[in-house]
Every structure is written in structure tokens, then in C-alpha cells.
Amino acid sequence: MMETVNWKIEGMSCANCALTISRYLEKKGLKNVKLSLASGDLSFDGSSAPDQQEIRKGIGDLGYTVAGESAAQGPGKLPMNKHLRFLLFCLPFTAILLLHMAGHRLSLHWLMIPWVQLLLCLPVYLAGMRFFGRSAIKSILNGMPNMNVLITAGASAAFLYSLAGTVFGLGPDYLFYETAAAIITLVFLGYWLEDASLQATQKALNGLARSQKTMANMIAFDESHQELIFPVENTQLRSGDLILIKSGEQVPADCLILWGEAGADEAIITGESLPVNKQVKDHLIGGSLLVSGTVKAQVEAAAGDSVLSNIIRLVQQAQGEKPPVQQLADKISAIFVPIVLGLAVICFLGNFIFGHALTPSLMRAIAVLVIACPCAMGLATPAAIAVGLGRAARQGILFRNAKSLESFKSIRQVVFDKTGTLTTGEFMISGWQLAAGVPVTEDEFMQIAFSLEKYSNHPIAKCIAKKWKRKDELRWMKVDEQKGMGMRGETKAGDVFQAGSFKILTALPSGATLQGSDTPVILPATPDDTPTGRTAPGADTPHNVYILRNGQLLGWIDVKDTIRPEATEVVRYLRSKGIRTILLSGDRDAACRQLALEAGIEEVISEQTPEQKLEKIIQLNAQAPTAMVGDGINDAPALAKATIGISMSDASQLAMQTADVVLTNHGLKHLPTALGLGRHTFLTIKQNLFWAFFYNIIAIPVAAFGLLTPALAALAMGLSDVVLAINSVRLFVKKVV
């Protein structure tokens, strides 16, 4: 089994940093490398990294830090943001330096002294070199120059130029200490704003993470078997522990109710806003909230293996994925720094050769260095994906990879499975009738049917037993389920009763008629059986269940699967968007066409085996990009082959799913939101990439022609990333359906 290593990377200041680390790890032969700039989470295939200590050291040599494994870490109390710390240190020195421009009017003549300016600038420059310079040098030595090379080059050029002017007494025209300090301080400001913006893109995931860590009331027993309750942190709970959960408390772990009833708000997991009634033998999901009632429950999974942990892990992994649209931006970012260094040299030489003095030529070159921003191109996709995946997770929609988000933009047809997808999977009696001339009343018929079907686990039998439940059931001397036939019960008097499929009719004389009807019971020509031996609702047999006594037909019962109340609305939405809808099922044609008529589905492909379903999906994919919605079990091959496989799932079964997208809580109603989020996330990515490319195409020439000072260029560089993050954060509130 492949082991996945999860680390937290610290020290990344921009998307170019994440790209540098990813390229280094891939060059070292690591497989399945996924690194999220937004969260700092790194994962890779552990079997491809025999010496993990060497990998840690290599990342450190690039100027970054491996903080440790992050998979099971709680939110905890975070230290002050590193960029904010540097900003607060540099800001006072820079502010004083900038006052020298008004030194004569404010009578601050001492600020005009070059050595005073040097002393004020030196702490800022050293702080900048400690942060930017070390990273820049290490990245160059490793052959992967990052964004900090540009900042270091720009600030160092201004500082060293000013230092030469001070040492050799060249006059005020050579003093640009405030420029060096402003570049460093404003870049720290920009990075801090970028961090804050990225944290906003992580809002939904951070909300889930905060729900992971809580206190629990653990139940234990003393030597006298008296119950004791004491508080523990939920991270200490293990499978099998007993806990008490009171009204208003957060459920500390996935658990099974042993005593009590309650109402649970599972919105954080499933997106369902209404409380769900829970009773004995029901499951509670860790992270949900008990809004009423008190229960005692048994823990089913430790904190690291809970449903909520699985969800967070899925979202983090998906954030580390790179969709195809990011590939062009990555290629450009990889060569961006050397190109900008070359452009800065050309800018300096061009300005100097064509009539400008040394000082303005140098200032324009410095402005080119600091305004260029590969970060914007690298941030365009991760920021939008972080918001899209986070919002989806809060609404019960889980994307297993970022590629699925992008793929939604091209979906032109949606294929639905029937049972459990468009229907509830719960049957109801649609009709029943007594056979002609039988000496049995309607009440006796229902009594016989209930007395037999209560012993079966078949969904149809359960539906009949639930509907006709009674206390005066028949007592059997012997009762058993005959495979492929149905239930058989024998009384003490020797009477044999049967409830089952058409096969039990083979002993009947031909031409038996139903009471009140001249229509004979027509025996079908051996249609395929369902695996459980019962005919499926709507099969080509006349009816679903027949009741016999001593070989004589007493009557029949028909059942039908109930359609999900939201199915019609979802199909109507898809058709309004020009998306073709198809029902693909293994059920009989009559039942499928009836359901398609009720739901408004355009095309029906019925009576398909799993192998035939797979072939149909391949054919449909060849026609147009296709999404398939199924239960994730019988439909697994077809779901895997579709452009996007969408699984309907109970939240507790997340670990078993293999689809690209999982709609928790059997959330068919979330399908339009999933489609909308996919499309709008991709639209946001395109907007971000357009802004990133447009910014650099415009900003570099503007700086080269002297229309921006280096300080303003540094501020503009920082704010460019903030613009992208803000545009991405709009996805939190944007209407997508």
C-alpha cells in the first residue's frame, strides 16, 4: 500500500516559492507531489523518498522550513504572522527616512546627513537581506531563482548605490536609502496583505478544522461499577470509548448512539441546514452539533480517522492538485525571474545609452525589478481553487481533485443511475388485489403478507411489513426464505403459505383470474431475476409479489420505488442550461420510462449490466463530455470512465468512494451547485490569469519609462496579489446557480 507523507512548509512568500519547492522535489524523483500555497500543506509518495531527512535538508537549503506532519494537527494558537513581524520592525525606520524629503520645511536638517540615513536604513536592509537575501542566494545556488532574487537585487542596488555616494561624498543625488528601505518595507506589507487574503480563501477549510478539536465527556466506571464522567480532549478518544453528549454540545467524534434521542445539526458536514432526528443505533458525525436531547454513544473512529478529518484531507489534497489551466502559468513562472533580470539590465542600458543620467537609469531598472510579479501568475489558480473547494465542502460537495472543478465547464450531458440516485431506494405499496373467488378477506390477506415478509431483509418485503405491521401475526411452525422464490411459511395445521416472485406461480393452473377482473394471470417467459430473487419494481411481470396458500393464488401486491422530491427540479435545471439528461439503469424498461417521464429526463437506456453501462459511458464520452451520477458501488466502473464521476454518498461512507465528486447525505439537490461552482471557479481562474498577465505586460514597460518610482513599484507589486485574492474570495458569496 502506498504511504503518503504529509508535511507543513513554512517560509513560502509567494506562488513562485511553491513552484520552486515542487520542481526541486520532482527533480529528486518524488512522485505525486502536491503543494498548496494557500495552506502550506505538502504531500508526496513516501516510497519515492527513501531518505526523507535529505529531502528536509534540501527544502531547508532552498530557504524554507519543514514544520512537521500536518495531517492530524489541530488549529491551535498561531504565532504572529512572520511578514507582519518584519513589517512592524522596518516601518518606523522607513517612516523616519521618508521624512527627509520634507526635511527643510520641517527643520529636520539632521535627516539630510548621509550617515544618519545610512544608520536608519541599515536595520531595514539587514532585515530584508535576512529574509529575502538568504532565500535568493539559496535559490540561485540550487539553480531555481525565485521571486526574492528580484527584491534582493532591487533593494541592494539602491542601498549599495547610496552607500557608494555616502562613502565617496558624491552628494544628495546619489542618496536613495529611503528607496531601499521602502522597497523592503512595502514588499513586507504586500506579502502580509497577501497572507491575509490567502487566509480568507481558506475560510471554509479553517472553519472545518476548528471543529476538529473540542472537549468530550468520557464515561468510565469505578470498582463498584458506578458511572463516572470526566472531560477529555477529543484527540484522546479511541474507537470503543463511551461518551456523553448533551444538548448544545459539539459531537466530539464519529459515534453510535447507545441511549437517548437527539436532534443533530450536520450542516458543517452535509450542508443540510435542518436538524436531523437521531435515535438508538443511529450514527453521529464528529463536528456536528447536538441542538436538542442528550445521548450516550460509543466512539467509532479516532480523531484522525473521522469523517471530518477525511473531508479536510480530501480538500487539502485537492488544493495541492494543479488543473491543466495552470500549466501555462507555471511554465512562464519558471523562467520569469531570469527574464526580468535580463529586462532590468536592458532597461538600465537602454536608458543610459539614450540620454539619461546614471541615477534615473538605475532607478528605472530597480523599478522594473520590483514591480514584476510572477506571484500573481502562480497565485491565480490556487486562490480560486481554495475558495471553490472550501465553499463546496461546506455545502456537502467534495471534489477529490482540482481537475474536476475545471472539467465541469465542458459538461454537456449528465447520466443518472436510477435506484438510490433519482429514487430514494425505499419502496412503497402502489396497489394490491385479491384473486377471484378466494375465501380470504382483505384483512386476512394483509395479515398473511405481513407474517411472511417480516422475516425477509429484501427491500420490497421490508416495505410491505412496515406498511401492514400488526400484532396478530400468524405463528409459523417453520419459516424460511427460498432463494430466487421468496418467503415460505408452514403452520402447525400443515398449511403452506408463500410470498414471492412470479416463479411461485408455476404450480398454478393456467387461466386463473383475479377477483373483479377477467384478465388471466400471465406467466412470463423466465425473465432475468434480481440477485435477491425478487422482481424489480415495474418489471415486465404483471406484479411484484404474489401470495399463495397451499399452491392457490390468494392475490398480488405491487410496489414502486419513490422518486426523490428534488429529482424533477434538478433535471429541469440541467435542461434549462442546455445539458442533455440520460437515465442509465439495469432496471426494466417500463419502470425506467415511468421514472423518466416523472422526472423529465430526455433519454432512457434500460436493462443494462455493469459492463454494458461502462460501454455506454464510453460511447457517450466520445459524443460529448459526460458526467455520471450514481451510488458509487455498482456503478464504480462507469463512474471512473465518465469525464466526471459523481457519487451519491452517506457521509460515513466517504472513505469507500472512488468518484471524482462526492455529494454527501445523498445530496442530489447539490448537483446544480457542484456544476455552478465548477464553472464559476474556472471563470475566476481565467479572470485571475488575465489580470496577472495584463499586470505584468503593462507594469514592466511603465516602470521602464520612469513613470513609477521604485517604492510605488514595490507597493503595486504587493497589491497585485491582493487583487487576485479578493477576486477569488468573491466565490464565497457569488451566486453560482
Side-chain angles (χ1 to χ4, degrees), residues 637-710:
L639 286 171
K641 186 59 69 173
T643 307
I644 299 178
I646 304 171
S647 174
M648 303 277 288
S649 170
D650 183 87
S652 61
Q653 297 176 331
L654 284 178
M656 297 187 293
Q657 303 301 328
T658 56
D660 301 307
V661 183
V662 180
L663 304 180
T664 64
N665 203 31
H666 295 285
L668 182 64
K669 63 184 176 183
H670 297 316
L671 180 58
T673 304
L675 285 162
L677 266 177
R679 287 176 172 171
H680 281 276
T681 300
F682 181 72
L683 176 62
T684 302
I685 291 172
K686 287 202 300 183
Q687 291 170 345
N688 286 353
L689 285 172
F690 170 80
W691 163 253
F693 283 111
F694 178 79
Y695 166 84
N696 281 290
I697 290 171
I698 298 299
I700 292 176
V702 166
F705 284 103
L707 301 177
L708 281 178
T709 65

Side-chain angles (χ1 to χ4, degrees), residues 56-232:
R56 285 176 180 266
K57 183 178 182 302
I59 293 175
D61 290 341
L62 289 173
Y64 312 100
T65 306
V66 179
E69 296 195 2
S70 64
Q73 287 181 347
K77 185 177 180 180
L78 298 176
M80 180 186 289
N81 180 279
K82 61 182 181 298
H83 297 131
L84 179 58
R85 289 202 310 271
F86 278 101
L87 172 64
L88 294 177
F89 174 79
C90 297
L91 189 59
F93 297 103
T94 304
I96 295 172
L97 267 174
L98 291 174
L99 285 176
H100 95 277
M101 291 185 287
H104 290 296
R105 284 178 306 209
L106 298 176
S107 299
L108 298 175
H109 301 292
W110 58 274
L111 265 179
M112 308 304 295
I113 302 173
W115 292 102
V116 172
Q117 292 185 24
L118 170 62
L119 290 175
L120 287 170
C121 181
L122 190 60
V124 179
Y125 180 72
L126 292 177
M129 290 308 100
R130 180 186 173 190
F131 187 89
F132 302 116
R134 289 170 61 189
S135 173
I137 292 170
K138 287 181 178 181
S139 71
I140 292 172
L141 292 176
N142 282 279
M144 299 175 184
N146 60 21
M147 176 67 187
N148 292 333
V149 172
L150 302 181
I151 307 301
T152 301
S156 295
F159 179 80
L160 295 175
Y161 186 74
S162 302
L163 181 61
T166 302
V167 172
F168 296 109
L170 300 177
D173 289 343
Y174 283 81
L175 299 182
F176 291 94
Y177 288 116
E178 79 284 352
T179 297
I183 288 172
I184 292 169
T185 304
L186 289 174
V187 170
F188 278 132
L189 172 63
Y191 280 3
W192 173 54
L193 291 174
E194 181 183 335
D195 288 343
S197 303
L198 281 174
Q199 282 300 308
T201 69
Q202 291 289 97
K203 177 182 175 183
L205 190 60
N206 291 339
L208 291 175
R210 280 193 295 271
S211 300
Q212 277 191 290
K213 201 170 186 178
T214 186
M215 297 302 292
N217 303 309
M218 189 171 179
I219 300 175
F221 298 91
D222 61 16
E223 62 276 3
S224 303
H225 302 289
Q226 296 296 313
E227 189 174 274
L228 300 175
I229 298 176
F230 55 94
V232 298

